[in-house]
């Protein structure tokens, strides 16, 4: 599917469906990037559905605790807890995943993301947005996979794994030279690929990651989906605001003209996590927009899309296996 910027901008004026609801009694919901914006609003919606436990994955303990207390006060949900995770640190991601050992996990929303200003690397040696938006996201999804699968088998439910993407993924592609490189992810880690389209590129990579996870878990009860919240007023654009000047003015004008509220965007996350409750298989491996299934970018579908996805996934599993030896085992155990 192709979708131009004009089409995406037109869709910003479409009616946003009401929030989906479900009975989450006894269930554990986990959402990263939960202290602000889309993650915070989605967490509030989940809190109103009576979960057995709602876990906010946040980088800042101060901001995370403030968010947890605010959710409790506004929803009356007393089972909100904070667990620290910094997606810019593989060690932090591993510790966060390990904290769920022996626990049930019914819904995991991989929501953490960043728009990087310029080329900046993490302590792990990866470009910041590539690690946070994609590599660490995939690592956390894989490390939580056994918890999700075990929960589905034990409680005869269909756990959900939601990877938050964006319609902006339609506007970019990944050069052939990346797929032809000895390590596509190491190639993407080079400074020359960090352009003004970098965030869009990471959202395309999220589509590939979702598709690979869906294929990996196709014979389990776990439903893997991805979605776009649309363009929303949130803290994701804080880099533009800090820049000020003409760039800041353009961003402010665009937000005023086009942006949905964070609450409206969060409804899309919630639908991916609890929508089609009576027929969850309908959403397996799908990309969602305004509660409807849409075809992803042409770059990510068909025979060529699968070829690209398989190249990226094989290399990603190799890189993540260096970070945590369990990754290779998890990928093998569920590959059929």
């Amino acid at each position: 599917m192709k979708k131009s910027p004009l089409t995406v901008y037109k869709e910003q004026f479409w009616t946003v469906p009401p929030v989906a609801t479900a009975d989450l009694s006894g269930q554990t919901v986990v959402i990263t990037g939960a202290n602000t914006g889309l993650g915070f609003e989605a967490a509030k919606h989940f809190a109103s559905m009576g979960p057995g436990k709602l876990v906010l994955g946040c980088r800042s303990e101060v901001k995370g605790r403030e968010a947890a207390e605010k959710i409790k006060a506004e929803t009356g949900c007393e089972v909100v807890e904070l667990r620290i995770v910094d997606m810019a640190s593989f060690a932090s991601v591993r510790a966060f995943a390990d904290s769920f050992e022996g626990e049930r996990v019914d819904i995991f929303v991989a929501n953490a993301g960043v728009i990087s200003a310029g080329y900046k690397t993490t302590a792990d040696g990866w470009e910041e947005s590539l690690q946070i938006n994609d590599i660490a996201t995939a690592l956390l999804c894989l490390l939580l996979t056994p918890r999700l699968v075990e929960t589905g088998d034990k409680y005869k439910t269909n756990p959900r794994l939601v990877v938050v993407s964006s319609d902006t993924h339609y506007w970019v592609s990944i050069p052939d030279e990346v797929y032809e490189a000895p390590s596509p992810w190491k190639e993407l880690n080079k400074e020359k690929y960090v352009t003004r389209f970098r965030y869009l590129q990471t959202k395309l990579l999220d589509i590939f990651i979702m598709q690979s996870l869906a294929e990996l878990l196709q014979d389990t009860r776990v439903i893997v989906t991805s979605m776009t919240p649309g363009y929303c007023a949130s803290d994701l654009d804080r880099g533009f605001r800090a820049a000020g000047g003409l760039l800041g003015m353009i961003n402010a004008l665009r937000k005023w003209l086009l942006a949905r509220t964070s609450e409206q965007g969060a409804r899309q996350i919630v639908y991916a996590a609890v929508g089609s409750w009576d027929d969850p298989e309908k959403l397996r491996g799908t990309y969602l927009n305004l509660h409807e299934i849409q075809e992803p970018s042409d770059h990510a579908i068909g025979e060529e899309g699968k070829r690209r996805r398989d190249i990226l996934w094989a290399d990603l599993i190799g890189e993540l296996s260096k970070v945590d030896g369990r990754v290779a085992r998890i990928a093998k155990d569920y590959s059929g």
Side-chain angles (χ1 to χ4, degrees), residues 55-249:
V55 180
L56 311 183
C58 305
R59 180 170 59 89
S60 167
E61 183 166 358
V62 172
K63 293 180 180 179
R65 292 199 181 283
E66 289 176 352
E69 291 307 314
K70 190 172 182 181
I71 291 172
K72 289 178 183 179
E74 294 186 13
T75 67
C77 179
E78 293 297 328
V79 293
V80 185
E81 66 175 68
L82 169 68
R83 300 192 193 182
I84 301 300
V85 59
D86 181 356
M87 302 297 284
S89 165
F90 290 144
S92 179
V93 170
R94 294 176 63 191
F96 180 76
D98 289 346
S99 75
F100 293 94
E101 184 69 33
E103 296 184 40
R104 69 183 290 178
V105 177
D106 299 87
I107 295 171
F108 171 51
V109 178
N111 168 67
V114 66
I115 298 178
S116 293
Y119 187 80
K120 178 182 178 183
T121 58
T122 69
D124 296 308
W126 292 94
E127 187 273 318
E128 182 182 55
S129 64
L130 188 66
Q131 174 161 335
I132 293 173
N133 299 0
D134 302 305
I135 301 173
T137 290
L139 175 63
L140 185 50
C141 289
L142 283 161
L143 293 180
L144 287 179
T145 285
R147 304 287 80 73
L148 289 158
V149 173
E150 289 165 9
T151 297
D153 290 344
K154 182 175 181 178
Y155 298 100
K156 308 305 179 187
T157 57
N158 291 101
R160 304 283 182 102
L161 196 169
V162 180
V163 179
V164 177
S165 184
S166 167
D167 259 1
T168 59
H169 87 272
Y170 288 104
W171 307 346
V172 294
S173 61
I174 296 172
D176 289 342
E177 64 193 52
V178 171
Y179 301 106
E180 295 165 359
S183 170
W185 288 94
K186 286 290 181 62
E187 182 70 17
L188 284 167
N189 200 44
K190 295 178 179 178
E191 187 171 358
K192 69 177 182 178
Y193 295 104
V194 183
T195 68
R196 61 193 178 95
F197 300 109
R198 180 60 155 194
Y199 176 75
L200 286 60
Q201 191 179 67
T202 66
K203 294 293 101 179
L204 174 57
L205 291 167
D206 278 335
I207 295 294
F208 280 127
I209 289 169
M210 179 277 291
Q211 291 172 329
S212 295
L213 287 167
E215 183 174 30
L216 180 70
L217 299 175
Q218 62 186 340
D219 295 325
T220 74
R221 291 176 172 270
V222 181
I223 306 297
V224 183
T225 62
S226 187
M227 40 63 63
T228 176
Y231 174 50
C232 300
S234 72
D235 281 346
L236 189 61
D237 67 349
R238 53 188 174 271
F240 292 111
R241 296 200 307 271
L246 180 60
L247 186 61
M249 291 174 60

Side-chain angles (χ1 to χ4, degrees), residues 3 7-20 165-167 170 226-232 258-261 263-272 275-276 282-283 286-295:
K3 190 181 286 191
T7 299
V8 173
Y9 290 151
K10 284 181 179 179
E11 291 179 0
Q12 287 293 120
F13 296 98
W14 290 4
T15 300
V16 178
V19 65
S165 184
S166 167
D167 259 1
Y170 288 104
S226 187
M227 40 63 63
T228 176
Y231 174 50
C232 300
L258 298 171
R260 297 171 185 159
T261 65
E263 186 279 326
Q264 288 175 317
R267 295 181 204 175
Q268 316 317 310
I269 294 176
V270 173
Y271 182 78
S276 192
K282 174 184 173 183
L283 301 186
T286 59
Y287 175 72
L288 303 167
N289 179 23
L290 293 173
H291 300 192
E292 297 290 337
I293 297 172
Q294 286 192 349
E295 188 177 75

Side-chain angles (χ1 to χ4, degrees), residues 41-54:
E41 295 295 338
K44 283 205 304 184
H45 283 310
F46 289 132
S48 70
M49 300 180 204
K53 184 184 297 182
L54 174 59

